[in-house]
Amino acid sequence: MSGATTTTTGHPAVVGKLSTLDRFLPVWIGVAMVGGLLLGRMIPGLGDALSAVEIDGISLPIALGLLIMMYPVLAKVRYDRLDAVTGDRRLLIGSLVLNWVLGPALMFALAWLLLPDLPEYRTGLIIVGLARCIAMVIIWNDLACGDREAAAVLVAINSVFQVIMFAVLGWFYLFVLPGWLGLEQTTIDTSPWQIAKSVLIFLGIPLLAGYLTRRFGEKAKGRTWYESNFLPRIGPWALYGLLFTIVILFALQGDQITSQPWDVVRIAIPLLAYFAIMWGGGYALGAAMGLGYERTTTLAFTAAGNNFELAIAVAIATYGAASGQALAGVVGPLIEVPVLVGLVYVSLALRSRFHASVTKGSLP
């Protein structure tokens, strides 16, 4: 957190006196969500104006918010420590299994079990399950005092797998597997290049900026100055970007959400189950493997989060902006944001159970 004290390793050891922004984060997020919904309802044509300019199918204001949100956290990463993460096979294998085996399969099962009569919403949720998180998970992990370097590595791995596997898994879970089970089949129309563009924009730009900032900042002023003077100045911008993104996102979709409340509830039920199971499964697996608090937390959040911007873009491109599939994608962050904020506080409350939470005793 931006107000936390740090050890010499650069990771939060104990949560010190929190800033007002950190202390009341759930309040600010709630205000941003409500404010966005009200803006979308009260100002006719706002959604069209915000959507007038897009980057890779995403509204320009949302794209800017995501980039602002991710840059400060990626500027905090110690890139000279990444080799210690890549050598931890338990963490890497555990993340791959959770993200690319369990996650899509779980969302498929929940969508069919809980939305058997709503094929559009069901398909939208399956697409959400295929889009593994590469953006907001960095914020949740940092707020929960997880391992920043591990988060950077796992997000990079998810990005590569997303480019390679998204279309393949979409074909499997929407067409092949339903056919095997005698269920209704559908397809998605997307290409690896479309997904690669999303990854390059929303991860590549802030990752490169963060890396260059640290490299040249440390070279010019030294690590002590960089971490004690520069990072505290840019740190709050991650949460400013998050709040801005939430306001714009909910303003864009406010009419859809408020005009179909029962549909939102139906979509929310499998999403709530999904986030709880994935986060809890990640925590249980990390604890069982003895990863320690920081990496267990990172494993759990990277497993539970989803790339809603990619899911929404694919749903809109394939089925249309007014489709049920697009609405399911929009409801994703509506549920994910408050749930994962709550899980940040659950994680912090669990720190005392990890006797090695302030050290890297679990490093290979």
Side-chain angles (χ1 to χ4, degrees), residues 15 46 88 104 124 171 199 219 245 247 283 312:
V15 179
L46 177 63
D88 190 342
W171 168 72
V199 170
K219 186 176 181 180
T245 302
V247 170
Y283 238 91
I312 293 172

Side-chain angles (χ1 to χ4, degrees), residues 107 109-126 256-257 260-275 324 327-332 334-335:
M107 189 68 90
L110 290 171
W112 272 102
L113 285 172
L114 299 175
L115 299 174
D117 57 326
L118 298 170
E120 290 190 359
Y121 298 154
R122 186 177 64 235
T123 298
L125 284 183
I126 292 172
Q256 268 191 300
I257 293 170
Q260 304 178 70
W262 178 240
D263 287 356
V264 171
V265 172
R266 289 289 307 272
I267 297 168
I269 294 173
L271 282 170
L272 286 170
Y274 173 85
F275 293 135
L327 178 60
V330 169
V331 174
L334 172 70
I335 305 303

Side-chain angles (χ1 to χ4, degrees), residues 234-249:
I234 66 169
W237 282 94
L239 296 183
Y240 299 153
L242 172 65
L243 296 175
F244 175 78
T245 302
I246 291 171
V247 170
I248 299 302
L249 178 67

Side-chain angles (χ1 to χ4, degrees), residues 118-206:
L118 298 170
E120 290 190 359
Y121 298 154
R122 186 177 64 235
T123 298
L125 284 183
I126 292 172
I127 293 173
V128 170
L130 299 176
R132 312 314 300 167
C133 198
I134 64 169
M136 281 192 177
V137 68
I138 294 175
I139 292 289
W140 310 136
N141 177 74
D142 206 51
L143 290 172
C145 302
D147 188 318
R148 290 189 188 122
E149 286 70 41
V153 169
L154 296 185
V155 163
I157 291 173
N158 274 349
S159 300
V160 173
F161 267 76
Q162 204 147 205
V163 172
I164 297 171
M165 297 301 298
F166 185 91
V168 174
L169 289 176
W171 168 72
F172 177 76
Y173 280 105
L174 293 173
F175 186 79
V176 176
L177 185 56
W180 290 349
L181 300 175
L183 303 173
E184 181 182 348
Q185 298 169 294
T186 186
T187 58
I188 58 172
D189 181 20
T190 188
S191 68
W193 172 236
Q194 179 184 356
I195 299 161
K197 285 193 298 180
S198 176
V199 170
L200 288 172
I201 292 169
F202 297 114
L203 177 62
I205 292 174

Side-chain angles (χ1 to χ4, degrees), residues 300-319:
F301 278 99
T302 52
N306 289 90
N307 186 352
F308 70 84
E309 60 270 20
L310 174 61
I312 293 172
V314 170
I316 290 174
T318 304
Y319 304 104

Side-chain angles (χ1 to χ4, degrees), residues 16 26 66 92 96 171 208 216 258 280 317:
L66 290 169
L92 300 183
L96 288 174
W171 168 72
L208 179 62
F216 289 110
T258 56

